[in-house]
Amino acid sequence: MALAAGGCSGACGPRTTDGAQAALLRQAVTLCNQGQVDRAIPLYTQALRSAPASTDALVGRGTAYRLKGNLTGALRDFERALREDPRCAAAYNNRAYVLRLMGRYGAAVKAYREAASVSPTSPSRWSHLADCEMVLGRYADASRHYQASLALRRDQSGVRLSLGRAYALLGRGAQARASTQAGLRRATVKEVSQARSEALKALRRHPQRAAPADIVQLLNGAAVPQGLRSRAGGPQAGTGPPRTERDSAGVGAAPR
């Protein structure tokens, strides 16, 4: 599943009340949202000089750092925001996202759990948590958390496709097919392409399992690539060991 980037404002307290500083932050947010992060960062920093506890400025600057590729600086600002406001859901979610970009999936799982505890009615908190659990091979946990996300918002085609892959890796073929078919009814071309890519990776890791192969066929109506599965449903002889790459969770795209 792809992540969606949050905005450049903090959206949690303590709020900025000074008129001049509020105007400074509005300008920084506008520049950041326009992609002009090199101009936005000094404005966030200027705001923090007069109000060091401003989570608006900390989360905003952390987002700008992340957009610039400075993940260490971004993580530092998000953690500082959480020290100022331990209930700041935006800081939790952005911290988890940066940890995920760093490949620190175990830490990201913990951070997404914390984000979900602060904002349990946000569907994306649960689906992002599930994405990281998929990477770690925690398919049963992932399936539960995809379901939790869908219970909050049912029209998430990408989440249904990911749930189908989780079911497939658990060997629950009928549920895998049902979830995949439900996701395909409204899925975009991008979502189908991403889901097919992840299903192929799952199949390479587990060539003996029929369910991932069935999901690949459902996703694209295409035959399973030669060498991944025999006609009888098992691995073909002489193809060598399966690839050992881990299932990806679509890390390169920007949290919902």
Side-chain angles (χ1 to χ4, degrees):
M1 279 196 38
L3 289 164
C8 294
S9 59
C12 51
R15 305 297 298 177
T16 298
T17 55
D18 178 79
Q21 189 185 21
L24 190 66
L25 281 176
R26 283 196 298 271
Q27 184 181 359
V29 169
T30 297
L31 290 169
C32 182
N33 284 331
Q34 291 174 347
Q36 300 184 58
V37 293
D38 286 329
R39 294 179 61 192
I41 289 171
L43 297 181
Y44 285 123
T45 301
Q46 184 179 341
L48 285 165
R49 289 195 188 103
S50 58
S54 170
T55 54
D56 284 341
L58 286 167
V59 174
R61 188 175 70 174
T63 301
Y65 278 146
R66 190 259 300 164
L67 291 169
K68 191 175 172 63
N70 181 0
L71 299 184
T72 300
L75 184 61
R76 182 174 59 245
D77 274 357
F78 296 140
E79 290 181 338
R80 181 175 159 190
L82 286 170
R83 288 195 294 273
E84 298 296 341
D85 180 5
R87 300 291 296 175
C88 182
Y92 275 119
N93 197 48
N94 279 284
R95 182 182 67 161
Y97 176 47
V98 168
L99 289 168
R100 183 173 172 176
L101 289 177
M102 290 177 163
R104 296 171 57 184
Y105 294 104
V109 164
K110 182 176 184 294
Y112 276 128
R113 285 183 181 274
E114 291 169 338
S117 71
V118 172
S119 182
T121 59
S122 170
S124 64
R125 305 287 189 270
W126 297 106
S127 60
H128 292 164
L129 168 59
D131 289 341
C132 291
E133 289 168 333
M134 289 292 287
V135 176
L136 296 173
R138 303 175 185 173
Y139 306 131
D141 288 340
S143 68
R144 286 194 295 271
H145 292 135
Y146 284 136
Q147 289 179 76
S149 179
L150 288 166
L152 292 167
R153 181 183 163 192
R154 301 192 62 80
D155 63 337
Q156 299 181 86
S157 298
V159 174
R160 290 192 182 280
L161 295 175
S162 294
L163 177 59
R165 180 163 54 94
Y167 281 147
L169 288 164
L170 288 167
R172 294 156 66 174
Q175 288 173 298
R177 287 188 292 276
S179 184
T180 302
Q181 288 168 335
L184 285 172
R185 293 189 187 108
R186 293 182 178 273
T188 65
V189 171
K190 183 177 180 180
E191 287 173 332
V192 173
S193 177
Q194 176 71 21
R196 183 177 185 275
S197 174
E198 302 304 335
L200 282 167
K201 291 174 184 178
L203 179 56
R204 292 185 180 108
R205 291 190 65 205
H206 305 286
Q208 298 89 350
R209 299 184 185 180
D214 293 340
I215 296 308
V216 170
Q217 291 175 319
L218 276 175
L219 286 168
N220 218 27
V224 176
Q226 185 177 4
L228 294 182
R229 182 183 173 209
S230 70
R231 293 179 182 176
Q236 290 190 355
T239 59
R243 290 168 57 183
T244 57
E245 60 192 296
R246 301 184 72 90
D247 288 334
S248 166
V251 179
R256 264 184 299 273

